[in-house]
Amino acid sequence: MPPGKGKAMGMTQANAPIFEALRRHKQNNVVRLDVPGHKGGRGNKELRDFLGADCMAVDVNSMKPLDNLCHPVSVIRDAEQLAAEAFGAEHAFFIVNGTTASVQAMVMSVCKAGEKIIMPRNVHRSAINALVVCGAVPVYINPGIDKRLGIPLGMALEDVRRAIAKHPDAKAILVNNPTYYGICSNLREIVKLAHQNGMKVLVDEAHGTHFYFGENLPLNAMAAGADMAAVSVHKTGGSLTQSSFLLCGKDVNHDYVRQIINLTQTTSGSYLLMVSLDLARKNLSLHGKEIFAKTLEYSTYAQREINRIGGYYAFGRDLINGDTVYDFDSTKVSVHTRAIGLAGVEVYDILRDEYDIQIEFGDIGNILAIVSAGDRALEIERFIAALSEIKRIYAKDSAGMFDHEYINPEVAMPPQRAFYSEKESLPVEASKGRICGEFVMCYPPGIPILAPGEQITDEIIRYILYSKEKGCFMTGTEDMSVSRINVVK
C-alpha cells in the first residue's frame, strides 16, 4: 500500500501511535532548544504544579519523530488511519481547533463563493460562520417544531426533496445528527436523495461520537453513506476539550480537504489534544460498547425518575414520528421545564448556584444534562433529587412564559454580504424591520437567534429581551452587553 493510504502497517486498534511516540520522546530526555518556552514546565512552575509535570513534559512542538499535523507522514498519519478504521471512514483528520473547524472545513471543501448549500436553520453558528468566510449562500430548510416543547426538530424528507427540486444547483446538504436535544433526521434517505442529485452530504455530528461505538443508538453518518462528518470526540468520546475528528467517506478528495483545513487550523498543533484523540479512539474501539451501554443505563434511569417527579417532561423516543423525529439519542437527558413555571435557564442557574450541579445548558423551556459512563450513580441520584426539590420550592404558574425556542428566519441577503456591509448600531428595541449584520445567540447551544442577513421582527426582539431577562448567556454582538445590535445601513 502507498504511504498515507489504507490501514496503518502492522497496527491494530490497541495501538495509539501518537501516545507511543510521545512516551518515547519523554523517555529520551531531549534538550529543549525549541518552543514552547515553558521548557517542559521548568519555565512556569505555577502552571507545572497546577497541570502536572507529566502534562507539561509532553506539551511539545512538531518535530520529525512526532510528525507534523499539517503534513503528516508518520505517527500522525498512522493515527489518522486507525481513526478512519475505527469510525468506518475512508479518511480521518485530527482537528485541534474544535469541531467548529471541522464544520467549517466541510463547508469550505464543497462550496465556493456564490454556490448554494442546503441546511436546516437550527445549525450551530460555526456553519453560518463558514458561509461568512467563504461566501457560499444558504438555502435554509426550516425544521419541524414540536408545539408542546417549543423546540426545533429534524428536517422533513419532503422539505429536503422540495429544496433539492427548487435549487438543483446546490452543492451540498448539511444535516445535524443529532440536534442538541437529541433529535435525528432520516439521514440515510437524505443521503440517497442528495447523491441522486449530485450533491454531497455533510453531517454536523458534534454530539454523535457514541453513535459509532454504542449499540441501540441512531445511525451514524459514515454508515449512512454521508460524504463528510464533523465528530466532536471531546463531548461524548472522552478526549480533551477542543479536540475533534473530521471524517471523509468515499468519493471525497481528502488531500484537497487537508489543504482546506490548513487554511485555518493552527500550524502549532497541540500534542495534548492530539494524544487525547488518539487514546480516546483506542478506548472507544476496545471498550465503546460497554461504555455506552452504561451511559444508556444511567440516562434511561434518569429520564424515568425525572418523569415520576411530575411537572417535568424528560422527553425521548416517545417523540419519534418517522420524519422530523426519525430517531432519538437516548443518552441525552433533555428535560422540558416550562410546566413548573420555570425557564430552563432558571433551573440551570438554580442547579449550579444552590446545588453545585453543572449541567450542559438551559434555554427558554428546557435543560440538557450530558450523562456518560464517567458519571457515578450517586451523582445521577443527586441530580434527580435536586430537580424534585427545585419543583417543590420554586414552581409557579407558567402563564406568560415564552413558549418556543425557534423562530423561522426571514432571510434578506447572504450572510457574507450582510456581515461585511456598512452597518450602524441600534438599540435592540429599535431594530424592527432592519437587516441584521451580526449574530445574536444564547450560548450554549450556539444556535443563532439572528444571523447576518436576516430580517429583525417583533417576535425576535421579544425573544432576545425575554432570554436576557431569564438569564441566558447572550453572545455574538459587537456590543458586549447585547443591548445594541449592528444592522445593515
Side-chain angles (χ1 to χ4, degrees), residues 153-330:
L153 305 176
M155 293 190 289
L157 205 55
E158 188 52 41
D159 288 344
V160 175
R161 193 175 281 113
R162 276 196 295 265
I164 290 172
K166 191 172 179 183
H167 302 276
D169 55 338
K171 296 297 180 182
I173 301 175
L174 189 147
V175 186
N176 294 326
N177 190 61
T179 69
Y180 226 116
Y181 300 99
I183 291 159
C184 298
S185 301
N186 189 345
L187 189 56
R188 194 188 297 278
E189 288 302 313
I190 291 172
V191 168
K192 189 184 296 183
L193 271 175
H195 287 174
Q196 286 169 353
N197 289 274
M199 300 177 188
K200 298 290 189 187
V201 177
L202 317 176
V203 182
D204 182 347
E205 217 157 27
H207 289 266
T209 304
H210 46 297
F211 292 1
Y212 290 87
F213 301 97
E215 295 179 313
N216 303 312
L217 292 169
L219 185 70
N220 67 67
M222 291 295 104
D227 297 285
M228 301 176 77
V231 182
S232 193
V233 182
H234 74 86
K235 287 183 169 66
T236 61
S239 65
L240 291 177
T241 295
Q242 199 175 308
S243 59
S244 173
F245 280 125
L246 175 55
L247 308 178
C248 295
K250 296 176 182 177
D251 303 319
V252 173
N253 181 349
H254 59 78
D255 293 320
Y256 174 70
V257 173
R258 191 184 300 281
Q259 287 187 315
I260 296 296
I261 292 169
N262 286 342
L263 290 176
T264 55
Q265 180 155 260
T266 177
T267 56
S268 302
S270 167
Y271 279 85
L272 297 177
L273 297 182
M274 284 189 275
V275 76
S276 79
L277 283 169
D278 199 24
L279 288 174
R281 182 271 315 153
K282 175 184 173 180
N283 188 42
L284 293 172
S285 296
L286 300 180
H287 308 295
K289 285 184 181 179
E290 308 96 272
I291 289 169
F292 295 119
K294 187 69 172 176
T295 301
L296 273 171
E297 182 185 324
Y298 279 153
S299 61
T300 302
Y301 174 78
Q303 289 158 1
R304 183 176 68 246
E305 294 303 309
I306 290 166
N307 283 330
R308 283 180 176 169
I309 295 171
Y312 298 108
Y313 173 33
F315 50 91
R317 294 184 61 80
D318 52 306
L319 295 181
I320 292 174
N321 59 23
D323 192 20
T324 52
V325 188
Y326 186 76
D327 208 344
F328 188 85
D329 175 11
S330 296

Side-chain angles (χ1 to χ4, degrees), residues 444-457:
I447 297 167
I449 300 166
L450 273 171
E454 294 176 358
Q455 197 100 33
I456 303 171
T457 64

Side-chain angles (χ1 to χ4, degrees), residues 8-28 58 60 65-67 74-76 78-79 82 94 271 274-279 281-283 286:
M9 293 297 290
M11 292 193 173
T12 71
Q13 290 297 320
N15 288 106
I18 298 172
F19 167 67
E20 291 158 16
L22 281 172
R23 188 167 53 186
R24 286 192 299 270
H25 172 75
K26 186 180 170 188
Q27 291 167 347
N28 286 341
V58 294
V60 294
L66 298 180
D67 209 355
S74 59
V75 295
I76 296 175
D78 292 345
L82 287 173
F94 278 62
Y271 279 85
M274 284 189 275
V275 76
S276 79
L277 283 169
D278 199 24
L279 288 174
R281 182 271 315 153
K282 175 184 173 180
N283 188 42
L286 300 180

